[in-house]
Amino acid sequence: MSHVWEKANDVQQFSGRHIGPSDSDVQAMLQELGYASLDELTRTALPKAIQDTALLDLPAALQEHEALAELKRIMSQNKLNRSYIGLGYYDTVTPSVVLRNIIENPAWYTQYTPYQAEIAQGRMEALINFQTMVSDLTGLPFSNASLLDEGTAAAEAMSMSRDLAAEGLGDVYYIAQNCLPQTIEVVRTRALALGLKVSVVDPQKVNFGSEAFGLLLQYPAADGRVEDYRNLIAQAKNKGLIVTLATDLLALCVLAAPGELGADIAVGSSQRFGVPLGYGGPHAGFFATKDEFKRRMPGRIIGVSKDANGQNGFRLSLQTREQHIRRDKATSNICTAQVLLAIMASMYAVYHGPKGLKRIAERTHALTRVLGTGLKKLGYALKSENYFDTLAVKLDQAQADGLMRAALAKNVNLGRLDDSVLIALDEKADAQQVSELLSIFAEGKPVPVLKDLAAAAGEAIPAALVRTSAYLQHPIFNSYQSESEMMRYIRKLESRDLSLTRSMIPLGSCTMKLNAASELLPITWPEVNGLHPFVPVDQAKGYKQLFEQLENYLAVCTGFDAISLQPNSGAQGEYAGLLVINKFHESQGQGHRKVCLIPSSAHGTNPASAVMAGMQVIVVKCDNDGNIDLADLKTKAVEHKNDLAALMITYPSTHGVFEEEIVQICNIIHENGGQVYMDGANLNAQIGLCRPGKYGPDVCHLNLHKTFCIPHGGGGPGVGPIGVKKHLAPFLPNHPLVKMGGDKGVGPIAAAPWGSASILPISWMYIRMMGPDGLKKATQVAILNANYMAKRLDSSFPVVYRAKNGLVAHECIVDLKEVKKTADVSVDDIAKRLIDYGYHAPTVSWPVPNTMMIEPTESESKAELDRFCETMISIRNEIREVEQGKAPKDNNVLKHAPHTAAVLTGGWDRPYSREQAAFPKAWVKENKFWPYVGRVDNAYGDRNLVCTCPDISSYS
């Protein structure tokens, strides 16, 4: 009977699906390495001083359907009222063809940042479309490929304005008082860190003196008002100020463009272009500017270049601005992007085209005019007669409270701003909803007839602000309005990209692990993506429970005392963590502490974030084994002890090893008055084995898009929460519109209170399905896989760094310097040749030049690890042919890689066969990935900067 009962309870746990190698594969790899068990391997790999043998205090693992049912019960507590709150967030309709073929398609959401241009042509075309869309609608010629949200885009505009402003101007940034309240505070947070001042001004009364360097205006304003800012902008620019307009893409379909009004910069959110509300995120911010400022623009930019065959090819432009090159001199943090959401917004524009977008805008505006006319007929006064989609109704406190209560009784959320009640209509609004809104304000009186109101409605956009210029005239926005054509266009772009659906993406420090279908399912539930971020908190009880549970799970996993979920990227986590350290020092009367020690091996986002947080970067040397040079660290910590703010350290190190002296490193910083910030990029090597909050760091950001399975989405969305020790908890980010965060918080660093809230269920699902045992085993297998690959590859490409025990952590760095000397084969040659075998290259030339950093993760099977190793060994044999003189140094299969179908089917005079070029291994024939372009010329693209859709002939 007991045997029967055991069988009845014998279920396949999710961890067995998530972890790639089978138990027999694990044993085979352990035997290859000389270890009897995973526990023995990881006890050897990790320094004894940090090991934590206690089992994670987390709930037992649930099966996939059980976890989905539990999450459904939690999120069903959310109340889905109809929200007319506005303030930068609007309901929208995601076209089903986009929902089905992009957001629910792992071929799109498991892509990595397009650093390898040749295997990223599809998503880069979509991003070029996004840039063109933003550029056309804003009337400014250069746009980037997205920022995190509207608030952070405005903060970037302030920083750029300071860099561009004329000499002799002061350190004050003017912000119009009718800007979005969250935007004002996000900019204020950034300004404080940079030592700048924010002055909130009435745009009607501002006098421009020499104290200000820039001006931010909202168009349309937070209260819906539409104003002609031409004269104001001209006055500001006459005084040398840089002027930014925060704006709305749908409004710009009928309003004169910011560039036409004279603005230097335009920022905003593309959320209402088909991206769900999601309780605040993720949403793609946008940033556009004038031609003369293009090389100072923040974020990443997709540009057009040529490939080796003379064909157009997309690539990341202005590469020299990337953080691993410019570091503390970087103009911005390139990791702050929302690629997947920008792609959704671009596809919304492609699908609707200019006529469809204008129709949506005109319909939204027409309904607003009917509503405004009706409100006036009922005796209410509007704050402005000029508006697009938002009405501000002037009321006293008692009246406003009464109407808000009456609306809630009918499951309607209205907005509130100063002395007004806001009503913001959107794409989903209809005549019945307008009638319902009028009935609320009628308070029992007869509701006016809508047709009569429509006949009586006057113009609400001044004639001088009616858009007359054309936009989205490129054929790409006028060719895919049928679903069959749109579906095929999306599929065509998908085929030009390499994602986890094709093969392993072995990027060191980037942790491209499985993003399981069950984890992703909930993000499209209405109770997850249908809430406005500023609804009354009692309508978001499901989210509240989710946040509390996830914060607790993350605290248990990391050993920290408190968690903030607000940072909406890893880079934002870095920034938030450093701001918290600043605020702590200030609370101790030590606000002068601004020196940040950063190892020379650190990820480039570290120094970029430190500068954004107003710190002075001092570089600490690393020794020959890749570890922090303890003597240099101690010398510099003592030298700067009176001004030492923090050390930023990545652990395990960026060289892929567990530094033995991590506890001593933390002690040195603490003894000299500083705090220890740990970059959590490599946390995937620690969960269940050790806890950073217990062995020294004071604050750590956690990449949920790495360790906790949120997909990378081509370079965003990401979530970068921070964990802190108890003494830092009061300083966690807070928000002006929703009570959350620390009571002495640093202010908001993202526009929404909980950042990218709607993708947090992914990490919740991962933890609930893995359970404490599964999470620990995942970490152990990640370490096993890396060491197995390091051993297999060492004879072909030597591993550069190992710990004293001969092991690596969860990634390894292989040396390619020798083949450069012997065969003139570069890192890039090998990276491009990997594409012919169907692989994305590992991380190239970072943190050490002429190397590759390989991270297999726990999700990849032994068969896939072996395939990749066989690929690298095969490439080494191809290099050996060059070394032996069997292949010319300047004309071989590596120098011409990758090989496109067009090249292989054209004329052929190369000293190697077509088969060797296209099908170097038998398995390649079974699942061939064909690169759409040959090797892209980066230098040409920088010399000839083009960042909008090229001529249609290039698409043929």
Side-chain angles (χ1 to χ4, degrees):
M1 182 66 183
S2 62
H3 177 69
V4 173
W5 187 244
E6 286 172 10
K7 284 288 185 183
N9 287 281
D10 183 16
V11 295
Q12 171 74 51
Q13 292 293 339
F14 171 75
S15 61
R17 308 290 190 191
H18 173 82
I19 296 171
S22 66
D23 289 343
S24 59
D25 288 338
V26 167
Q27 288 306 312
M29 289 191 284
L30 285 168
Q31 187 174 351
E32 180 79 13
L33 294 170
Y35 292 91
S37 67
L38 286 171
D39 285 341
E40 183 187 352
L41 170 68
T42 51
R43 275 199 305 269
T44 307
L46 271 71
K48 286 186 172 53
I50 69 170
Q51 292 183 27
D52 190 333
T53 58
L55 188 67
L56 294 173
D57 184 16
L58 294 170
L62 294 176
Q63 294 181 63
E64 295 178 57
H65 69 279
E66 293 172 331
L68 285 166
E70 182 174 317
L71 185 61
K72 177 67 83 169
R73 285 193 295 272
I74 291 170
M75 300 310 285
S76 292
Q77 298 174 85
N78 291 336
K79 189 172 183 182
L80 287 172
N81 279 9
R82 184 67 173 95
S83 290
Y84 303 96
I85 297 170
L87 296 178
Y89 300 92
Y90 306 87
D91 213 346
T92 182
V93 178
T94 306
S96 296
V97 66
V98 174
L99 179 72
R100 184 74 167 171
N101 293 290
I102 291 183
I103 195 65
E104 295 179 344
N105 183 352
W108 283 92
Y109 64 68
T110 66
Q111 301 162 349
Y112 184 60
T113 304
Y115 292 126
Q116 290 289 325
E118 296 80 8
I119 51 85
Q121 289 298 297
R123 88 196 74 146
M124 287 203 283
E125 180 170 322
L127 291 173
I128 279 276
N129 294 346
F130 177 84
Q131 291 175 184
T132 304
M133 171 189 82
V134 170
S135 178
D136 276 11
L137 289 172
T138 61
L140 291 163
F142 276 86
S143 163
N144 69 16
S146 79
L147 290 170
L148 293 174
D149 55 33
E150 182 165 343
T152 51
E156 293 285 6
M158 177 194 67
S159 299
M160 180 171 147
S161 297
R162 188 70 189 89
D163 291 340
L164 291 170
E167 289 186 22
L169 295 178
D171 58 359
V172 176
Y173 192 59
Y174 287 153
I175 304 182
Q177 63 188 16
N178 56 10
C179 286
L180 298 173
Q182 68 271 21
T183 297
I184 294 173
E185 295 308 315
V186 169
V187 175
R188 198 192 302 275
T189 300
R190 179 78 63 91
L192 190 63
L194 296 175
L196 303 174
K197 299 169 187 171
V198 164
S199 178
V200 179
V201 298
D202 182 342
Q204 304 296 327
K205 300 176 182 176
V206 62
N207 292 312
F208 299 107
S210 60
E211 77 281 2
F213 63 87
L215 169 66
L216 174 66
L217 301 168
Q218 192 87 38
Y219 172 75
D223 59 9
R225 182 189 302 268
V226 172
E227 290 191 54
D228 189 340
Y229 285 127
R230 288 182 178 91
N231 290 337
L232 183 63
I233 291 170
Q235 291 172 34
K237 292 175 70 171
N238 190 47
K239 293 290 186 177
L241 278 71
I242 303 297
V243 180
T244 299
L245 255 60
T247 189
D248 179 301
L249 293 180
L250 191 64
L252 295 183
C253 294
V254 293
L255 291 178
E260 295 167 351
L261 303 186
D264 299 298
I265 300 169
V267 299
S269 170
S270 60
Q271 176 265 314
R272 70 190 307 176
F273 273 30
V275 181
L277 286 162
Y279 204 43
H283 303 142
F286 64 81
F287 191 110
T289 193
K290 298 161 72 172
D291 182 78
E292 57 262 43
F293 300 153
K294 63 192 175 191
R295 295 184 183 271
R296 309 294 287 275
M297 189 160 56
R300 63 176 65 127
I301 306 161
I302 306 301
V304 183
S305 188
K306 300 286 183 184
D307 76 353
N309 312 306
Q311 179 183 341
N312 274 2
F314 302 114
R315 36 82 72 175
L316 276 173
S317 296
L318 303 177
Q319 304 281 49
T320 54
R321 299 175 328 117
E322 290 189 33
Q323 271 62 58
H324 66 270
I325 298 171
R326 296 204 62 187
R327 301 177 72 80
D328 57 311
K329 303 296 191 298
T331 55
S332 70
N333 202 320
I334 203 167
C335 290
T336 52
Q338 299 278 26
V339 172
L340 189 64
L341 295 314
I343 288 170
M344 284 184 69
S346 78
M347 291 300 182
Y348 180 92
V350 168
Y351 191 48
H352 286 295
K355 292 178 182 176
L357 291 179
K358 188 172 184 181
R359 190 180 302 119
I360 294 168
E362 288 179 337
R363 179 178 177 277
T364 304
H365 179 56
L367 287 169
T368 310
R369 288 165 58 202
V370 170
L371 178 60
T373 305
L375 289 170
K376 287 191 290 184
K377 190 171 181 64
L378 289 170
Y380 292 97
L382 302 181
K383 201 167 181 180
S384 174
E385 295 295 325
N386 297 326
Y387 49 79
F388 166 61
D389 64 358
T390 300
L391 303 169
V393 186
K394 290 190 287 187
L395 300 165
D396 61 37
Q397 183 77 28
Q399 261 188 314
D401 290 345
L403 281 165
M404 297 288 280
R405 284 194 299 270
L408 284 172
K410 294 195 174 185
N411 299 322
V412 167
N413 296 321
L414 302 176
R416 193 75 173 265
L417 187 67
D418 303 326
D419 61 346
S420 303
V421 166
L422 299 181
I423 315 170
L425 300 189
D426 53 46
E427 180 185 5
K428 285 188 176 180
D430 58 29
Q432 183 181 344
Q433 291 175 6
V434 170
S435 185
E436 289 171 352
L437 286 165
L438 287 172
S439 72
I440 291 169
F441 280 81
E443 297 181 305
K445 292 183 289 189
V447 177
V449 177
L450 297 192
K451 281 188 178 180
D452 295 341
L453 294 176
E459 295 299 327
I461 296 176
L465 290 178
V466 172
R467 182 155 196 159
T468 57
S469 57
Y471 49 86
L472 305 186
Q473 296 303 291
H474 193 280
I476 211 79
F477 297 101
N478 295 276
S479 304
Y480 303 108
Q481 276 69 64
S482 74
E483 180 161 340
S484 56
E485 288 297 322
M486 185 67 179
M487 175 180 65
R488 290 167 189 154
Y489 178 60
I490 293 173
R491 179 65 185 87
K492 179 177 75 173
L493 298 191
E494 177 190 322
S495 71
R496 297 176 182 178
D497 272 29
L498 197 150
S499 69
L500 282 175
T501 62
R502 301 298 300 257
S503 59
M504 168 187 182
I505 299 181
L507 285 153
S509 191
C510 299
T511 317
M512 297 293 293
K513 61 202 279 179
L514 173 70
N515 315 121
S518 289
E519 294 158 7
L520 272 291
L521 275 176
I523 68 170
T524 56
W525 293 349
E527 54 266 54
V528 170
N529 70 25
L531 269 72
H532 191 288
F534 304 146
V535 299
V537 290
D538 63 355
Q539 293 179 24
K541 289 179 180 177
Y543 263 117
K544 183 174 186 291
Q545 185 174 343
L546 174 79
F547 297 152
E548 289 173 350
Q549 289 186 355
L550 185 57
E551 287 172 7
N552 177 59
Y553 296 163
L554 295 175
V556 167
C557 288
T558 61
F560 288 102
D561 300 310
I563 304 286
S564 170
L565 298 172
Q566 190 178 109
N568 46 7
S569 78
Q572 284 288 88
E574 294 176 11
Y575 171 60
L578 294 175
L579 291 186
V580 166
I581 288 173
N582 278 344
K583 199 74 182 286
F584 167 73
H585 286 313
E586 289 168 13
S587 75
Q588 303 295 302
Q590 307 245 324
H592 58 277
R593 289 187 174 272
K594 294 295 181 186
V595 169
C596 185
L597 302 181
I598 300 181
S600 59
S601 64
H603 195 290
T605 59
N606 287 180
S609 293
V611 170
M612 282 172 58
M615 292 183 173
Q616 176 192 355
V617 174
I618 302 290
V619 177
V620 177
K621 296 175 186 174
C622 288
D623 63 23
N624 292 334
D625 295 321
N627 300 313
I628 288 178
D629 184 323
L630 280 178
D632 191 52
L633 175 71
K634 192 162 190 177
T635 297
K636 284 172 178 168
V638 171
E639 179 186 350
H640 297 284
K641 66 180 180 180
N642 294 328
D643 299 304
L644 182 62
L647 166 74
M648 295 186 81
I649 182 171
T650 302
Y651 198 77
S653 77
T654 47
H655 290 118
V657 296
F658 288 100
E659 298 196 40
E660 291 286 339
E661 306 302 332
I662 182 63
V663 174
Q664 186 182 347
I665 287 168
C666 294
N667 288 339
I668 289 170
I669 300 304
H670 290 145
E671 288 164 4
N672 289 279
Q675 297 282 288
V676 176
Y677 169 92
M678 193 185 101
D679 185 317
N682 294 339
L683 200 63
N684 206 48
Q686 300 186 65
I687 302 299
L689 302 179
C690 58
R691 292 179 238 207
K694 303 295 185 186
Y695 61 71
D698 302 284
V699 57
C700 171
H701 90 261
L702 329 171
N703 293 100
L704 299 193
H705 48 289
K706 296 184 181 183
T707 306
F708 293 96
C709 290
I710 289 175
H712 284 66
V719 182
I722 55 172
V724 297
K725 299 301 290 290
K726 188 176 181 179
H727 65 284
L728 296 179
F731 310 106
L732 290 174
N734 47 21
H735 197 274
L737 298 179
V738 179
K739 184 172 174 53
M740 53 85 64
D743 55 6
K744 301 175 185 174
V746 297
I749 51 96
W754 285 277
S756 293
S758 68
I759 55 176
L760 294 176
I762 299 169
S763 297
W764 185 96
M765 284 288 294
Y766 173 65
I767 294 170
R768 286 301 281 117
M769 293 189 296
M770 290 293 281
D773 295 317
L775 289 171
K776 177 183 176 182
K777 186 176 180 181
T779 304
Q780 292 181 311
V781 174
I783 293 171
L784 171 67
N785 284 357
N787 279 280
Y788 174 72
M789 293 186 75
K791 182 164 186 180
R792 283 215 62 190
L793 292 174
D794 194 50
S795 60
S796 297
F797 298 104
V799 174
V800 181
Y801 299 111
R802 297 180 187 269
K804 292 175 184 175
N805 51 36
L807 296 172
V808 298
H810 64 312
E811 59 194 11
C812 63
I813 297 176
V814 297
D815 194 355
L816 309 179
K817 290 195 294 292
E818 190 62 27
V819 299
K820 178 64 177 172
K821 295 175 187 173
T822 60
D824 193 32
V825 171
S826 69
V827 178
D828 276 353
D829 293 333
I830 297 173
K832 306 312 179 188
R833 182 59 175 151
L834 278 166
I835 296 170
D836 289 329
Y837 286 80
Y839 280 107
H840 193 298
T843 304
V844 297
S845 288
W846 183 85
V848 183
N850 300 306
T851 64
M852 283 185 170
M853 181 159 60
I854 301 168
E855 180 179 357
T857 82
E858 72 276 11
S859 304
E860 299 299 340
S861 67
K862 181 176 181 293
E864 183 70 358
L865 304 184
D866 286 333
R867 254 193 306 273
F868 183 80
C869 290
E870 290 296 332
T871 294
M872 291 293 285
I873 292 166
S874 177
I875 289 173
R876 184 64 185 89
N877 289 332
E878 291 173 345
I879 296 170
R880 201 164 279 119
E881 290 187 357
V882 179
E883 292 170 334
Q884 295 169 354
K886 296 177 181 177
K889 280 191 174 184
D890 61 348
N891 187 13
N892 56 66
V893 73
L894 291 111
K895 290 294 181 185
H896 290 299
H899 296 82
T900 64
V903 165
L904 286 159
T905 54
W908 193 261
D909 59 356
R910 296 182 180 178
Y912 53 90
S913 70
R914 298 177 204 256
E915 182 164 5
Q916 183 188 358
F919 304 112
K921 285 287 182 180
W923 70 74
V924 179
K925 294 180 180 179
E926 297 176 8
N927 187 29
K928 176 65 180 175
F929 172 78
W930 288 104
Y932 179 63
V933 296
R935 196 174 303 196
V936 174
D937 186 340
N938 288 329
Y940 178 91
D942 275 345
R943 290 194 305 271
N944 304 276
L945 190 59
V946 176
C947 297
T948 53
C949 289
D951 184 82
I952 191 61
S953 61
S954 66
Y955 289 87
S956 60

